[in-house]
């Protein structure tokens, strides 16, 4: 890699939507400060877009439709990618890295599927690969995991990493409205995309969970390894049941060390869960993100802020851009892939979880013991039971101790089939409490 002492760092920008436009604006507005911080000017030499006529907020002479030629150009030292999706981003970034050009990307889907190949290309040429903006927007999270906590042993990363779903769940919690009504409102207000699938079905959060788990546990985790459940099945009854017990429902990305039959592994999952209203993540409302990290020596930490949007995401991109530019100027290098631990990802069925189960049952002698017997049969220990009698039936709420997810699911299936159970009103995992 050539030294750039004093010479401009030349940047190619791939994609110029909300985030890209903000990146160009910040680079222009803060040019003098950035030059001082980096030790050389940082200049955009080209912006690859699909439709040049659409982009009025950036200098027209920088626009091109030929992204491959821009990446290959001798006038480019760093490639910033904010296109999103797998292709053509993957091919373009591999070409950049192989040519020794540093890469800054906000592309969670790409990192969650192809990080091994990207890191390999980065290692081969010595070019940097930074991706802070891929998870939780503006919140500095990946650098703390990759660098600040590199000397510690992280045991859990648990967070709200999708603003759209958090906005919807917060809305359901405050109004008591259904999922469908709240989604409609979120779409109308522009908080949910016209096609909300990636967010509400948990794909976006699963990609982020894969990236977080890979970094936290020094292992390769891809999106396919992540157990994923979205929020479409969360009902107003679930929210009410949580409230009645001093809990709230959040879509959580959970990455944690688990021990199965003495062997260490990791659990990586995205699903709705009830957490106590006293938990720090419970007070994260609307479109905000927050991630709770636990490490042996550091203890508990919480990272909170804006997880999406043009300027917040551009802030993370700019931070990475300054880092890779400094590395080029001072002949340094950012962290490489750290996957030496190679911990296996445990299937969801083997993961210890806790369940909250709310049932409508017949109110007569022996009902509770029949229900309790099913828990005992599956070796699931009950932590708390609450029963409220009504006219001719009763509401029965059970919270379990930790058991394998498979045992809990079998328990719920069997309970649902008991003649004394009129309805399984709500079933949800419980997180953020002692087991
Ligand atoms: N769609 C994401 C969210 C932001 O709702 O949080 C980008 O990852």
């Amino acid at each position: 890699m050539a030294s750039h002492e004093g010479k401009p760092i030349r940047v190619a920008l791939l994609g110029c939507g909300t985030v890209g436009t903000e990146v160009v604006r910040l680079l222009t507005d803060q040019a003098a400060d950035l030059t001082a911080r980096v030790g050389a000017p940082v200049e955009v030499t080209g912006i690859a877009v699909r439709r040049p006529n659409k982009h009025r907020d950036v200098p027209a002479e920088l626009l091109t439709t030929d992204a491959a030629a821009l990446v290959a150009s001798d006038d480019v030292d760093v490639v910033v990618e904010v296109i999103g999706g797998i292709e053509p981003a993957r091919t373009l970034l591999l070409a950049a890295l192989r040519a020794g050009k540093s890469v800054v990307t906000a592309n969670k889907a790409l990192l969650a599927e192809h990080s091994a190949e990207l890191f390999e290309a980065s290692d081969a040429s010595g070019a940097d690969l930074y991706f802070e903006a891929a998870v939780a927007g503006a919140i500095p999270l990946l650098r703390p995991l990759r660098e600040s906590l590199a000397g510690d042993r992280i045991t859990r990363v648990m967070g709200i990493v999708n603003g759209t779903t958090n906005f919807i769940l917060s809305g359901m919690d405050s109004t008591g409205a259904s999922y469908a009504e709240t989604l409609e409102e979120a779409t109308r207000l522009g908080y949910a995309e016209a096609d909300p699938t990636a967010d509400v079905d948990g794909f976006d959060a699963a990609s982020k969970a894969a990236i977080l788990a890979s970094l936290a546990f020094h292992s390769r985790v891809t999106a396919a390894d992540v157990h994923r459940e979205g929020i479409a099945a969360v009902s107003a009854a679930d929210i009410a049941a949580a409230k009645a017990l001093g809990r709230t429902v959040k879509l959580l990305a959970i990455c944690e060390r688990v021990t199965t039959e003495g062997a260490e592994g990791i659990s990586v999952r995205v699903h709705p869960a009830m957490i106590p209203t006293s938990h720090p993540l419970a007070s994260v409302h609307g479109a905000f993100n927050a991630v709770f990290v636990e490490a042996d020596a550091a203890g508990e930490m919480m990272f909170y802020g804006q997880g999406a949007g043009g300027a917040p995401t551009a802030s993370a991109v700019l931070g990475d851009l300054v880092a890779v530019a400094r590395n080029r100027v001072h002949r340094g290098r950012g962290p490489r892939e750290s996957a030496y631990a190679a911990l296996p990802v445990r299937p969801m069925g083997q993961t210890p979880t806790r369940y909250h189960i709310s049932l409508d049952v017949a109110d007569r002698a022996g009902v509770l013991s029949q229900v309790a017997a099913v828990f005992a049969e599956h070796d699931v220990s009950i932590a708390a039971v609450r029963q409220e009698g009504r006219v001719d039936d009763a509401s029965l709420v059970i919270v379990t101790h930790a058991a394998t997810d498979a045992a809990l699911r079998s328990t719920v299936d069997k309970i649902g089939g008991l003649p004394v159970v009129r309805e399984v009103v709500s079933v949800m995992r419980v997180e953020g409490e002692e087991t």
Side-chain angles (χ1 to χ4, degrees):
M1 202 192 306
S3 164
H4 279 85
E5 200 79 46
K7 281 195 283 177
I9 300 293
R10 299 158 304 174
V11 178
L13 180 63
L14 309 182
C16 198
T18 330
V19 177
T21 307
E22 279 298 311
V23 167
V24 175
R25 185 183 69 77
L26 290 170
L27 276 173
T28 311
D29 290 359
Q30 301 178 20
D33 282 329
L34 292 173
T35 302
R37 290 173 200 170
V38 167
V42 180
E43 295 174 2
V44 179
T45 48
I47 304 173
V49 294
R50 268 186 304 181
R51 287 182 292 272
N53 297 338
K54 257 186 66 183
H55 301 273
R56 310 220 179 275
D57 297 335
V58 296
E61 67 278 12
L62 295 180
L63 296 171
T64 170
T65 52
D66 194 344
L70 178 61
V71 167
S73 159
D74 287 340
D75 288 339
V76 169
D77 305 303
V78 177
V79 173
V80 173
E81 183 262 321
V82 286
I83 310 171
I86 305 296
E87 289 293 355
R90 172 180 158 272
T91 301
L92 292 167
L93 296 191
L94 284 172
L97 290 166
R98 286 176 185 145
K101 296 170 186 186
S102 312
V103 163
V104 173
T105 173
N107 193 328
K108 65 211 131 220
L110 182 62
L111 261 301
E113 258 185 61
H114 296 284
S115 64
E117 163 177 55
L118 291 164
F119 275 120
E120 204 179 300
S122 146
D123 263 355
S125 69
D128 277 337
L129 174 60
Y130 276 64
F131 44 96
E132 182 66 64
V135 181
I139 308 171
L141 178 61
L142 304 192
R143 193 164 290 126
L145 294 178
R146 271 177 117 183
E147 300 184 42
S148 323
L149 292 165
D152 209 332
R153 180 178 177 275
I154 295 173
T155 50
R156 180 182 292 143
V157 179
M158 178 164 96
I160 296 165
V161 293
N162 183 270
T164 306
T165 48
N166 201 52
F167 181 85
I168 295 169
L169 292 173
S170 290
M172 289 174 73
D173 190 79
S174 61
T175 63
S178 71
Y179 164 75
E181 287 163 340
T182 317
L183 170 61
E184 206 179 294
E185 174 77 352
T187 312
R188 197 179 57 77
L189 295 173
Y191 283 100
E193 305 269 351
D195 176 2
T197 314
D199 294 314
V200 298
D201 288 347
F203 290 101
D204 175 81
S207 292
K208 293 166 178 170
I211 296 170
L212 291 171
S214 302
L215 299 181
F217 305 126
H218 304 274
S219 300
R220 265 186 202 160
V221 180
T222 66
D225 296 320
V226 181
H227 173 86
R228 177 187 52 80
E229 294 170 34
I231 63 163
V234 175
S235 64
D238 291 324
I239 305 277
K243 268 193 171 172
L245 289 173
R247 298 190 174 101
T248 187
V249 177
K250 295 290 183 190
L251 182 73
L252 298 180
I254 303 170
C255 319
E256 60 187 354
R257 287 182 192 267
V258 290
T259 305
T260 316
E261 289 165 1
E264 198 174 47
I266 49 183
S267 163
V268 191
R269 51 196 216 264
V270 168
H271 57 70
M274 291 183 185
I275 56 172
T277 48
S278 57
H279 193 280
L281 290 175
S283 51
V284 178
H285 298 298
F288 275 79
N289 282 190
V291 178
F292 194 70
V293 178
E294 295 172 51
D296 278 351
E300 296 176 346
M301 288 151 281
M302 175 116 143
F303 299 82
Y304 173 82
Q306 296 192 67
T313 309
S315 165
V317 169
L318 259 286
D320 280 356
L321 184 50
V322 167
V324 303
R326 281 175 176 158
N327 287 343
R328 294 191 84 90
V329 170
H330 303 294
R331 292 173 179 273
R333 231 209 113 174
R336 300 169 184 211
E337 182 185 30
S338 176
Y340 72 91
L343 291 173
V345 179
R346 298 281 176 232
M348 188 62 190
Q350 291 177 15
T351 297
T353 57
R354 299 180 66 200
Y355 272 33
H356 162 284
I357 301 153
S358 177
L359 309 168
D360 274 353
V361 293
D363 192 5
R364 56 181 150 80
V367 171
L368 186 56
S369 73
Q370 278 189 52
V371 172
V374 179
F375 283 87
E377 220 177 89
H378 291 88
D379 206 19
V380 173
S381 174
I382 293 174
V385 180
R386 197 182 74 169
Q387 182 176 325
E388 265 173 36
R390 292 187 291 232
V391 178
D392 65 343
D393 68 355
S395 154
L396 188 59
V397 176
I398 296 164
V399 180
T400 73
H401 283 298
T404 64
D405 203 74
L408 286 159
R409 274 178 185 262
S410 303
T411 305
V412 171
D413 285 349
K414 184 141 185 205
I415 284 174
L418 290 176
V420 294
V421 173
R422 295 189 179 159
E423 192 190 350
V424 177
V425 178
S426 166
V427 177
M428 193 163 288
R429 298 186 185 88
V430 175
E431 296 289 341
E433 294 174 30
E434 290 305 310
T435 58

